[in-house]
Amino acid sequence: MRRVSIFGATGSIGQNTIDLIARAPEDYDVVALTGAGNIEQLAKDAKRLRAEVAVTAHDHLLDDLRDALAGSGVVAQAGTDAITEAAARPADWIMSAIVGAAGLAPGVAALKQGTTLALANKESLVCAGSLMLETAKAHGARLLPVDSEHSAVFQALVGEEMTAVERVIITASGGAFRDWPIEDLAHATLDQASSHPNWDMGQRITIDSASMFNKAMELIETREFFGVQPRQIEVLVHPESMIHAMVGFNDGALMAHVGPPDMRHAIGYALHWPARQALPVARLDLAAIGQLSFRAPCETRWPALRLAREVMETGGLAGAVFNAAKETALDEFIAGHIGFNEMAMIVEEVLDTITSTPGHIDATMTLDNVAKVDHLARQEAQRVIHNRAG
């Protein structure tokens, strides 16, 4: 039996991972499940999978989790330190699906035990890509991509040499507002931004898809994961979400990964790698689909893409600044304090302010320094938001 842990178990990626594991429970020994506020779901899954420990990120919910797990034999814990400690528990395969920068410390802890880390937490590579990769190398651990785009690139590169790669193309659905008149975006509501045309995801990532901040993060993640240069990475708007990525080679060939918009494919590929196993996902009928369409993204509509390229050119801890400002702006949009278009404006102002002070972004890449820059960027974002409101 393989020992597995799932961090972010109650979210969309976590639930899809649990769906696959629960189909063959005899193959897995579940070590740890972690979640945030959905105690009922966390406890239900921990009992069903007979996990050793279940951890909520919220200290004040520990008693609720203990009550929900009473008599099950599953240990209940709470807090960010407990999540990081759970990541250090020996496991053969760990899913990192915590949303946001909170996934970085558990990811590093998991890598230090030399395990396989299936990475769905893109913020880890955006904020501290070199730290993640160096930690994996130092401890003999393996990073496997779970974002559908990066899993697609990873699969397209099987048997290929990186020296033959000319370009990497990741696709974007365009989100809820891909066909809206640009002048209407300033008035987009939270409900409108929270509805994705193709994918069933959590609210935050769905809004990030509408603003293209999700794709901006994936641009940075592509550079970190595969070591390609920013100029080699392209984005195409592909409304059907059937082609997840393409790799272009020096002989002019394009290798495309085509599949249904179902995250269980990328999760299952990482779970069973290096083998392929049957997965409960739809099989495409290309004749029925009829056609696939593509168009270049408009950076006036989606300024997040331009900001991501600036972050890649700046390097250092600029990714941590970008992510922290984005998370803060997203929080404020969800709270109704700022408009949809203001998110990118706030991120850009924070980046301009902090990256103009080299001491902040040129610091050594450590967890402590990432945390310091993260805190600084969130403070600056709040200052910008306050000034805009004034």
Side-chain angles (χ1 to χ4, degrees), residues 76-122:
Q77 296 180 346
T80 55
D81 288 345
I83 289 177
T84 301
E85 289 167 5
R89 287 182 174 238
D92 304 306
W93 187 91
I94 296 177
M95 167 60 75
S96 173
I98 296 173
V99 176
L104 176 57
V108 171
L111 291 173
K112 285 182 176 179
Q113 60 162 296
T115 190
T116 295
L117 184 67
L119 191 63
N121 173 258
K122 57 177 59 66

Side-chain angles (χ1 to χ4, degrees), residues 2-64:
R2 295 172 67 199
R3 289 173 59 82
V4 300
S5 291
I6 305 169
F7 289 78
T10 57
S12 174
I13 297 295
Q15 287 295 293
N16 278 306
T17 306
I18 287 171
D19 174 72
L20 295 178
I21 288 173
R23 292 170 185 267
E26 67 281 359
D27 293 340
Y28 304 101
D29 181 10
V30 178
V31 179
L33 298 182
T34 80
N38 192 345
I39 298 301
E40 180 181 358
Q41 187 67 54
L42 179 60
K44 176 184 175 182
D45 289 329
K47 289 187 288 187
R48 177 166 64 125
L49 298 178
R50 299 179 181 179
E52 294 176 10
V53 59
V55 189
T56 170
H58 302 307
D59 292 285
H60 68 280
L61 295 177
L62 178 58
D63 288 342
D64 292 341

Side-chain angles (χ1 to χ4, degrees), residues 299-357:
E299 291 191 357
T300 302
R301 178 184 296 275
W302 295 300
L305 298 177
R306 170 178 55 81
L307 296 176
R309 294 197 179 278
E310 292 176 8
V311 166
M312 289 190 287
E313 293 296 340
T314 302
L317 293 170
V321 176
F322 178 78
N323 179 70
K326 189 276 294 185
E327 288 189 10
T328 304
L330 177 58
D331 288 340
E332 295 298 308
F333 173 67
I334 291 173
H337 298 155
I338 63 173
F340 181 78
N341 283 348
E342 288 183 282
M343 289 190 287
M345 298 176 188
I346 290 161
V347 172
E348 182 164 20
E349 188 168 342
V350 173
L351 276 169
D352 288 345
T353 299
I354 295 182
T355 58
S356 64
T357 309

Side-chain angles (χ1 to χ4, degrees), residues 266-296:
I267 295 166
Y269 188 80
L271 181 63
H272 301 302
W273 183 89
R276 284 190 185 271
Q277 292 193 18
L279 294 173
V281 301
R283 271 50 176 174
L284 294 183
D285 183 343
L286 294 178
I289 293 169
Q291 65 180 14
L292 300 175
S293 58
F294 307 91
R295 60 181 186 253

Side-chain angles (χ1 to χ4, degrees), residues 53-266:
V53 59
V55 189
T56 170
H58 302 307
D59 292 285
H60 68 280
L61 295 177
L62 178 58
D63 288 342
D64 292 341
L65 182 58
R66 281 175 174 160
D67 290 344
L69 292 172
S72 67
V74 181
V75 175
Q77 296 180 346
T80 55
D81 288 345
I83 289 177
T84 301
E85 289 167 5
R89 287 182 174 238
D92 304 306
W93 187 91
I94 296 177
M95 167 60 75
S96 173
I98 296 173
V99 176
L104 176 57
V108 171
L111 291 173
K112 285 182 176 179
Q113 60 162 296
T115 190
T116 295
L117 184 67
L119 191 63
N121 173 258
K122 57 177 59 66
E123 292 83 0
S124 294
L125 288 182
V126 171
C127 295
S130 61
L131 176 62
M132 293 289 288
L133 295 171
E134 289 167 8
T135 302
K137 183 178 180 180
H139 295 273
R142 182 178 295 278
L143 274 170
L144 294 177
V146 175
D147 270 346
S148 59
E149 296 79 5
H150 303 99
S151 176
V153 174
F154 187 73
Q155 293 180 55
L157 287 171
V158 172
E160 304 289 352
E161 296 291 337
M162 286 302 299
T163 54
V165 174
E166 283 188 344
R167 56 183 177 146
V168 174
I169 304 168
I170 59 175
T171 62
S173 69
F177 305 139
R178 67 188 174 210
D179 298 317
W180 276 39
I182 290 178
E183 59 270 19
D184 291 349
L185 294 178
H187 309 292
T189 68
L190 176 62
D191 285 344
Q192 290 168 329
S194 301
S195 177
H196 196 282
N198 299 350
W199 298 89
D200 181 15
M201 305 181 293
Q203 183 187 50
R204 296 179 71 85
I205 194 170
T206 302
I207 298 169
D208 279 349
S209 176
S211 66
M212 209 72 96
F213 266 110
N214 186 51
K215 204 57 51 180
M217 302 277 280
E218 290 171 2
L219 277 171
I220 302 169
E221 190 179 5
T222 300
R223 178 192 173 145
E224 297 294 336
F225 211 109
F226 300 104
V228 292
Q229 296 303 309
R231 59 178 171 75
Q232 294 177 278
I233 311 169
E234 305 170 27
V235 175
L236 273 180
V237 177
H238 171 48
E240 295 84 3
S241 294
M242 298 295 178
I243 294 179
H244 305 298
M246 292 175 273
V247 177
F249 296 94
N250 56 9
D251 61 356
L254 276 175
M255 297 286 282
H257 178 280
V258 188
D262 188 330
M263 283 305 303
R264 290 178 299 178
H265 180 273

